[in-house]
């Protein structure tokens, strides 16, 4: 009888620990989602002037052929306020996207090792980031459709409040998702490369440069590693995703009716080179700042900085 009571108590304690772990996991993913929303929304908002220039360089390269001349043309023809066109769609859209991207990435990175036990770390990083990005871009697409039009068409709309109704009225629900496929083509490779590069960069920095375990480093040192790995990841991802970014801008501004027509009009070489300098100027610092803010939010909530698997997965000796 006493043994049965002890077993029931032990079972109850195990169930309690399991519920606590589930609650802890839910809280962890919630913090990651909120951190992703705040970091992505804020960093993309700050770079709105560069984004306005980038979109106009993609849509009208003959008129906006360089960064300095492009800013000068925008300022003279449309005023200083033109540099902040689309800020609301950018802040809200990339905030929602960032929440889905970071929160779901952490979730899938913990889920997939249990399902795909024989796959290496890089494949898990690729699959986790791709899975998260699919949902993140579905959330972003309506905001992006309004943002690109507002930035490249001076008399289209002022922002989200009048842009959303206008797109729906003229093109219906399909108008919001016209560029979803090229958006996936742009963001999926970028996200897969970015997250995988970040994870491997973190490992390399701790092992080869810092030569200490993350746990033995101060929070300031850990955030420094995050910034260095984040910049590396952003630079590599930009080179991969530039062709699709040009196609997205062309489709949303009706410079082409489909992807093949956009590729033909832009030119194969221009897909890789057009607006690349301004994108590198935008994306490198943005990704770095994004990772820094994201990990800062995690640190402020008592969580470790990003990089690597959770202890449960590490103990499974996932092959390198």
């Amino acid at each position: 009888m006493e043994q049965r009571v002890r077993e029931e108590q032990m079972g109850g304690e195990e169930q309690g620990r399991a519920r606590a772990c589930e609650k802890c996991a839910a809280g962890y993913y919630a913090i990651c989602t909120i951190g992703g929303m705040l970091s992505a929304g804020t960093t993309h908002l700050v770079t709105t002037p560069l984004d306005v220039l980038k979109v106009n360089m993609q849509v009208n390269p003959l008129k906006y052929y360089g960064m300095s001349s492009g800013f000068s043309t925008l300022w003279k023809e449309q005023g200083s306020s033109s540099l902040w066109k689309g800020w609301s769609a950018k802040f809200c859209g990339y905030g929602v996207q960032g929440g889905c991207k970071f929160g779901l990435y952490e979730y899938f990175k913990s889920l997939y090792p249990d399902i795909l036990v024989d796959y290496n770390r890089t494949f898990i990083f690729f699959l986790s980031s791709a899975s998260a990005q699919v949902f993140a871009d579905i959330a972003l697409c309506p905001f992006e459709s309004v943002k690109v039009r507002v930035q490249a068409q001076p008399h289209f709309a002022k922002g989200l409040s009048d842009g959303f109704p206008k797109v729906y009225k003229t093109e219906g629900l399909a108008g919001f998702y016209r560029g979803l496929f090229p958006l996936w083509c742009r963001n999926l490779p970028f996200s897969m490369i970015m997250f995988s590069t970040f994870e491997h960069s973190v490992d390399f920095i701790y092992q080869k440069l810092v030569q200490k375990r993350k746990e033995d480093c101060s929070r300031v040192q850990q955030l420094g590693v995050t910034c260095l790995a984040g910049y590396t990841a952003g630079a590599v991802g930009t080179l991969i995703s530039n062709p699709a970014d040009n196609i997205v801008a062309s489709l949303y501004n009706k410079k082409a009716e489909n992807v093949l027509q956009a590729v033909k009009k832009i030119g194969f070489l221009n897909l890789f080179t057009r607006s690349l300098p301004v994108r590198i100027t935008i994306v490198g610092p943005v990704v770095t700042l994004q990772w820094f803010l994201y990990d800062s939010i995690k640190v402020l909530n008592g969580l470790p900085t990003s990089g690597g698997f959770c202890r449960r997965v590490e103990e499974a000796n996932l092959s390198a």
Side-chain angles (χ1 to χ4, degrees):
M1 184 67 178
E2 292 179 358
Q3 183 178 357
R4 183 179 178 182
V5 171
R6 283 197 299 270
E7 289 176 353
E8 290 178 352
Q9 289 176 343
M10 292 175 63
E13 290 175 358
E14 290 176 357
Q15 291 176 3
R17 283 195 294 269
R19 285 194 294 268
C21 289
E22 291 174 1
K23 185 177 180 180
C24 180
Y28 173 75
Y29 298 133
I31 291 171
C32 291
T33 301
I34 293 171
M37 291 179 66
L38 294 175
S39 61
T42 302
T43 51
H44 279 88
L45 175 63
V46 170
T47 60
T48 298
L50 286 169
D51 191 53
V52 171
L53 175 62
K54 180 207 73 172
V55 170
N56 281 277
M57 288 176 69
Q58 291 171 331
V59 174
N60 196 347
L62 295 179
K63 186 176 182 179
Y64 303 97
Y65 54 86
M67 290 184 65
S68 59
S69 61
F71 275 125
S72 178
T73 301
L74 283 169
W75 190 289
K76 289 178 181 178
E77 294 187 355
Q78 301 180 38
S80 59
S81 62
S82 66
L83 299 178
W84 291 95
K85 291 171 66 175
W87 70 267
S88 58
K90 193 170 177 65
F91 176 72
C92 296
Y94 283 92
V96 172
Q97 186 211 42
C100 294
K101 181 169 67 175
F102 282 95
L104 289 175
Y105 172 72
E106 297 286 359
Y107 171 74
F108 286 126
K109 190 174 73 169
S110 177
L111 173 68
Y112 285 139
D114 288 337
I115 302 173
L116 306 171
V117 293
D118 294 328
Y119 287 85
N120 63 31
R121 299 172 76 243
T122 300
F123 182 80
I124 296 297
F125 296 147
F126 278 163
L127 186 59
S128 300
S129 55
S131 301
Q133 193 67 51
V134 166
F135 294 101
D137 282 348
I138 291 174
L140 168 67
C141 206
F143 298 94
E144 184 78 353
S145 69
V146 174
K147 178 190 77 72
V148 173
R149 289 177 172 92
V150 168
Q151 291 177 338
Q153 301 174 29
H155 305 294
F156 176 78
K158 294 180 179 180
L160 282 178
S161 59
D162 55 341
F164 262 113
K166 192 167 185 178
V167 172
Y168 185 76
K169 184 178 180 180
T170 56
E171 301 182 43
L173 188 62
F176 293 114
Y177 289 95
R178 187 180 184 188
L180 180 59
F181 179 71
L183 201 62
W184 276 335
C185 291
R186 180 189 75 181
N187 289 343
L188 280 171
F190 176 84
S191 184
M192 293 167 70
I193 294 297
M194 190 267 286
F195 276 104
S196 180
T197 302
F198 177 84
E199 297 277 5
H200 287 297
S201 296
V202 168
D203 286 345
F204 177 83
I205 293 168
Y206 279 117
Q207 292 176 14
K208 304 298 183 180
L209 302 182
V210 180
Q211 297 183 346
K212 289 195 297 185
R213 297 187 311 161
K214 180 197 292 188
E215 295 79 7
D216 298 328
C217 297
S218 67
R219 293 300 191 190
V220 173
Q221 289 175 320
Q222 291 181 24
L223 290 174
V225 171
T226 292
C227 289
L228 184 56
Y231 189 85
T232 303
V236 175
T238 302
L239 296 173
I240 302 297
S241 64
N242 201 58
D245 191 64
N246 280 296
I247 293 173
V248 168
S250 180
L251 288 175
Y252 275 136
N253 286 285
K254 299 183 179 179
K255 298 295 182 178
E257 294 299 322
N258 53 59
V259 173
L260 291 178
Q261 191 179 86
V263 172
K264 186 176 180 181
K265 282 192 172 185
I266 296 171
F268 183 76
L269 181 61
N270 286 336
L271 283 174
F272 292 90
T273 59
R274 181 179 292 177
S275 75
L276 182 60
V278 70
R279 280 202 77 221
I280 291 177
T281 304
I282 294 173
V283 177
V286 163
V287 172
T288 305
L289 184 57
Q290 200 171 107
W291 277 108
F292 173 74
L293 293 175
Y294 175 66
D295 270 3
S296 295
I297 292 170
K298 291 172 70 174
V299 168
L300 289 173
N301 285 274
L303 300 176
T305 54
S306 300
F309 292 97
C310 65
R311 187 178 302 277
R312 173 181 54 81
V313 176
E314 289 176 342
E315 289 173 351
N317 292 321
L318 203 63
S319 58

